[in-house]
Amino acid sequence: KNQVEQSPQSLIILEGKNCTLQCNYTVSPFSNLRWYKQDTGRGPVSLTIMTFSENTKSNGRYTATLDADTKQSSLHITASQLSDSASYICVVMYSGGGADGLTFGKGTHLIIQP
Amino acid sequence: EPEVTQTPSHQVTQMGQEVILRCVPISNHLYFYWYRQILGQKVEFLVSFYNNEISEKSEIFDDQFSVERPDGSNFTLKIRSTKLEDSAMYFCASSAAGSSYNEQFFGPGTRLTVL
């Protein structure tokens, strides 16, 4: 069964600190992996999309890594800001799948404290 | 910057009533989607729509659900007879193309509460 597991479930850090969120998946065959940011009461917003051949991808202070061999991804946030408080969702698509091929993780709820 | 919009932001209804959730996708997008997120759970795919017909649907999308693009801008999700378990956030999304790599843009969601 295709699954996406994220850790930690929630995380609290001080403003200005770095953090890393983890995503493990069992989706196969793999097509791409996405990280989304979801503010409370809002829809998810795409941060990165990574294919099998991409190991690292950055979007400002967000850097995603992908190890397709171990089926793990991480999202690293540098110099956190209060506006980074949100849920971060890992989404994996299997090859040949359409929209129903997207498997969502439950997300990591990140709180940045001043 | 173009964005997906959804109305209403919050809908409260009685069990057994029909509800229609509305979405205006990004204007030049061709593929449209509905997802739901029950409180505290992960986002789940409901249905995708292209060229005025359903492309894919999940097992959640049973006969109680229907989608429609009544005009050139709106995309609606109808639930014919709501159940308590239909209470959730419903997200509309759209994409320019339907490839697996194509980015989907999500709306802010409609919170549906069934009493």
Side-chain angles (χ1 to χ4, degrees), chain B:
Chain B
E1 187 174 338
E3 58 182 14
V4 177
T5 60
Q6 291 185 242
T7 55
S9 57
H10 192 183
Q11 174 86 47
V12 181
T13 189
Q14 294 289 328
M15 188 171 56
Q17 295 296 305
E18 173 184 287
V19 294
I20 298 176
L21 310 182
R22 292 182 167 80
C23 167
V24 179
I26 294 173
S27 62
N28 63 343
H29 284 185
L30 301 176
Y31 294 80
F32 315 115
Y33 315 87
W34 282 102
Y35 294 85
R36 80 172 185 189
Q37 185 176 29
I38 296 171
L39 186 64
Q41 298 188 23
K42 60 185 180 181
V43 175
E44 300 172 291
F45 168 76
L46 291 178
V47 65
S48 62
F49 191 86
Y50 169 72
N51 199 26
N52 282 320
E53 59 183 27
I54 291 174
S55 304
E56 294 140 333
K57 60 182 181 179
S58 71
E59 56 189 26
I60 302 170
F61 194 87
D62 61 21
D63 291 343
Q64 293 297 313
F65 292 89
S66 63
V67 290
E68 191 179 34
R69 188 156 164 82
D71 52 44
S73 60
N74 290 284
F75 179 51
T76 63
L77 174 69
K78 181 192 289 186
I79 308 175
R80 289 188 184 81
S81 179
T82 50
K83 303 186 284 288
L84 295 176
E85 54 265 37
D86 293 327
S87 294
M89 281 288 284
Y90 288 81
F91 294 106
C92 172
S94 69
S95 63
S99 73
S100 61
Y101 193 76
N102 216 66
E103 181 176 353
Q104 295 181 21
F105 293 83
F106 285 79
T110 292
R111 180 170 297 282
L112 176 64
T113 302
V114 182
L115 302 176

Side-chain angles (χ1 to χ4, degrees), chain A residues 9 44 47 65 85:
Chain A
Q9 189 172 14
L47 296 175
T65 65
S85 294

